[in-house]
Amino acid sequence: MAHLIENCLFCKIIKGVIPSVKLLETELSYAFLDIGPLSKGHALVIPKYHAEKTHQVPDEYLADILPQTRKLALAMGLTDYNILQNNGAIAHQEVMHVHYHLIPKPDEETGLKMHWKPISQTQEELKAFAESVSKNLK
C-alpha cells in the first residue's frame, strides 16, 4: 500500500535502506527519533506515502499521523511539546517528504524556540479573506 520513491531520504528510511531508531510503525505511518534533535525524544512521524506537501497526501495517511503522534506523546509522558510540520523550502522544510515533528518541551531553553510576529489585519480584511477561501472549499 505504501507509495514510496527511490531517491527520497525518508522513503529509504521506511524501506530500511537507511537505518533509523524506530519508535512505531503502522500500515500507513512510520515514526523514528530525529538524528538532530532539539530535545530528548524529538521524533518524526511520516506517512508511508511520498509527497512533498501535506495537501498532496491522501486523507487515510493523514488520518493516521495524529493518533500515532498522540500515542508517542503519551508513551513519552510529555506534558509540554510542539507538533511542527513545514511545507516548502521557504517554510523551513529540509527533507521534501511530508513529516511531522514531535518536539518535547521540558523547559524554557530546551526544544523548539519560536519568534511569532503577527501581521495587522482589520475585521473587514479577515472577513473578505474568509469569504474567498469559503468559495474555494470543496
Side-chain angles (χ1 to χ4, degrees):
M1 185 168 205
H3 168 74
L4 306 173
I5 65 171
E6 204 61 37
N7 62 345
C8 169
L9 174 69
F10 286 172
C11 289
K12 289 178 182 179
I13 287 173
I14 292 166
K15 292 178 192 175
V17 174
I18 293 175
S20 67
V21 179
K22 180 171 72 171
L23 294 170
L24 66 79
E25 182 174 11
T26 69
E27 182 183 345
L28 303 174
S29 299
Y30 187 87
F32 57 101
L33 291 173
D34 194 308
I35 62 169
L38 296 180
S39 58
K40 184 177 182 179
H42 181 166
L44 299 175
V45 184
I46 61 176
K48 288 183 174 181
Y49 184 95
H50 181 82
E52 290 188 10
K53 298 182 179 177
T54 293
H55 66 271
Q56 299 166 333
V57 179
D59 288 348
E60 63 269 22
Y61 290 86
L62 292 175
D64 196 53
I65 296 283
L66 280 179
Q68 303 317 318
T69 304
R70 179 182 56 82
K71 285 180 188 178
L72 289 171
L74 290 169
M76 291 182 202
L78 301 180
T79 55
D80 297 299
Y81 55 93
N82 297 96
I83 297 173
L84 174 68
Q85 199 279 320
N86 303 319
N87 290 280
I90 66 170
H92 308 289
Q93 183 179 5
E94 292 184 15
V95 176
M96 295 303 157
H97 181 119
V98 170
H99 55 287
Y100 294 75
H101 293 261
L102 172 61
I103 307 167
K105 186 72 174 159
D107 56 60
E108 289 289 328
E109 295 304 313
T110 311
L112 183 64
K113 294 182 182 182
M114 297 186 339
H115 173 71
W116 201 281
K117 187 177 178 183
I119 62 170
S120 179
Q121 288 192 297
T122 66
Q123 282 294 316
E124 292 76 27
E125 290 171 320
L126 292 171
K127 288 177 185 176
F129 183 78
E131 287 175 17
S132 71
V133 170
S134 293
K135 291 176 186 174
N136 291 324
L137 289 174
K138 296 176 183 177

